[in-house]
Amino acid sequence: MKRIFSLLAIASLSVGLTSCYEDVISPGSDPNGPPQEVSLSGDLIPIFEKNCAMSGCHSADAKKPALTADKAYTELMSGGYVNTMVPDKSPIYTVAKPGGSMPTLNPKDLQKLLDWIRNGAPNN
């Protein structure tokens, strides 16, 4: 009787432990998952300055939209580069994706850009 009880206890414990499963998705690793919090000034401006403004393409004196700290938000929002209704169709996002017309951002930075748009593109 003790042996049967022990076997049932072990079987129950085995089933209980193997049925536990936690799906952990790190923030920003799933483009369709909940968007991570992204700050324009703290997260995106450094990306723009490193990849876009420093190249001379999107600097303050360029003919293209300036992506500098003092002008990026106004330029992006007034120029129609951000589509908060369909974030993945935003021109700023589509040109920075692989196959877009601008140099491709790395996946982590591209996800930050998409998440910022998905959060309503706040001026933060």
Side-chain angles (χ1 to χ4, degrees), residues 67-87:
L67 295 177
T68 56
D70 58 333
K71 295 184 178 184
Y73 185 78
T74 304
E75 297 264 343
L76 289 172
M77 300 311 284
S78 66
Y81 298 102
V82 174
N83 181 348
T84 57
M85 298 301 287
V86 188

Side-chain angles (χ1 to χ4, degrees), residues 20 26 57 64 75 96 100 107 116-117 124:
C20 293
S26 59
C57 295
K64 297 176 183 176
E75 297 264 343
W116 175 72
I117 299 167
N124 57 359

Side-chain angles (χ1 to χ4, degrees), residues 21-118:
Y21 174 75
E22 184 177 342
D23 188 13
V24 178
I25 298 174
S26 59
S29 65
D30 179 7
N32 298 313
Q36 63 181 322
E37 291 297 318
V38 178
S39 164
L40 176 65
S41 60
D43 295 312
L44 294 183
I45 294 298
I47 294 168
F48 295 156
E49 287 177 346
K50 176 184 169 196
N51 296 288
C52 310
M54 294 302 284
S55 66
C57 295
H58 294 281
S59 58
D61 58 343
K63 294 183 189 224
K64 297 176 183 176
L67 295 177
T68 56
D70 58 333
K71 295 184 178 184
Y73 185 78
T74 304
E75 297 264 343
L76 289 172
M77 300 311 284
S78 66
Y81 298 102
V82 174
N83 181 348
T84 57
M85 298 301 287
V86 188
D88 63 336
K89 299 295 184 205
S90 294
I92 185 72
Y93 177 71
T94 59
V95 299
K97 286 177 22 179
S101 59
M102 299 290 133
T104 302
L105 293 179
N106 70 53
K108 186 177 177 181
D109 291 344
L110 193 60
Q111 185 64 47
K112 285 181 183 179
L113 178 60
L114 179 60
D115 286 347
W116 175 72
I117 299 167
R118 290 172 65 203

Side-chain angles (χ1 to χ4, degrees), residues 2 6 13-14 28 30 58 87 94 97 107 119 123-124:
K2 274 185 165 182
S6 296
L13 186 59
S14 296
D30 179 7
H58 294 281
T94 59
K97 286 177 22 179
N119 283 323
N123 187 7
N124 57 359

